[in-house]
Amino acid sequence: MSRRPVAVAASLLTVLALGATSACSGNSSASTGGSGSTPTVKLMAGGLDKQIYLPYQLAQQLGFYKKYGVDVQLSTEQDGGVGAEEAMASGQVDMAGAWYNHTIEFQAKGKAVEDVVQLSGAPGEREMCTAKSGVHSAADFKGKTLGVTDLGSGTDTLTQFLAAKKGMKTSQFHRIGVGAGSTAIAALQNGKVDCVMTTQPTVAAIQKKGVGTSAIDLATTSGATAAMGGAYPAASVLARTDWVDSHKATVQKVVDALVATMHWISTHSAADIANKLPQSFVQNQLVTKADYIAALNEDKGQFLPDGLMPAGGPRTSLATEKLVGNVKGSVDLSKTFTNDFAVQANKTEGFKTTTTPAGPNG
């Protein structure tokens, strides 16, 4: 994820309503009620209306949280507000819909956070650049101003990583936070940045307006592997390890619902998915529904069909963090993720798994 996505205006009312519902309940409510009651889980995502994070809302629309016996209250990050992973780490919410790499960063800071289900094997991002920027790859970043969701976000880490792969230091280019959606588009239009790393549907809107084109593709698992040397696990569900250990039955219910959602995504078309999502997510002042479907059809390959952490993914993520200097010491990758819940979910439903799972060493 990127950490600080900005919801597009047309979907803001929907998102705020979700957030308000979540805010009305108390902290860490997963264990409320007596025997047999439905547990409530608060999950904040890094932008519910972004395509990279669509499984969280889709699971709600499909009725899968209810089906598997858990009440998931969804909320989304707000521009300038607390990031989903920080809200989770501080106990404001139980779970975060955010990128896996944050578990590595947390461990480096002495905090135990783990990934309990992996939804994508690629960042789902594209480096969108203006024609006059002259940027065609990270080798052209020198002297440029590059937009990221927010400084310190996943897009910021990826931008630095791509530059470092080309032997470029961060002092050789400039990074600024521009959010996503309309603010990212405005930054390109106004010449504030030469490029911006962003996701669908913002990518489609940039292309439709003719203000930028895709210079670097990290939107699919194959694209991420080509650019980064391996699958890069991005969208996932993160939770504090102590919370997971004390709420295992509840975690399993959430993972059951999301694994069923990932299987549904893999067996349905982009149009089917768009038809299930809130109207404001797929059709607004930035994109038409046809644009949204076309973009999803193009980037649908980022989603993993079974919720398993792919082999090599954690190692690629750790290499990224080390190369950009976010992590300098040793990291025990086995403590940053677990496939146990996803394995059980697939077994329960009789789903055939196709992702080669990562071992303890990533």
Side-chain angles (χ1 to χ4, degrees), residues 127-137 139-146 188 191-196 211-216:
E127 191 74 40
M128 304 298 293
C129 302
T130 63
K132 66 178 182 180
S133 70
V135 174
H136 303 289
S137 75
D140 303 316
F141 281 176
K142 187 176 181 179
K144 306 301 181 183
T145 299
L146 308 175
L188 282 174
K192 188 177 181 180
V193 297
D194 297 292
C195 304
V196 61
V211 297
T213 57
S214 176
I216 303 173

Side-chain angles (χ1 to χ4, degrees), residues 237-267:
V237 173
L238 312 182
R240 299 183 313 279
T241 298
D242 61 344
W243 190 89
V244 172
D245 290 343
S246 60
H247 296 84
K248 287 187 176 181
T250 297
V251 173
Q252 187 65 63
K253 293 174 187 293
V254 174
V255 175
D256 286 348
L258 286 168
V259 166
T261 300
M262 302 317 292
H263 179 74
W264 195 93
I265 289 172
S266 72
T267 55

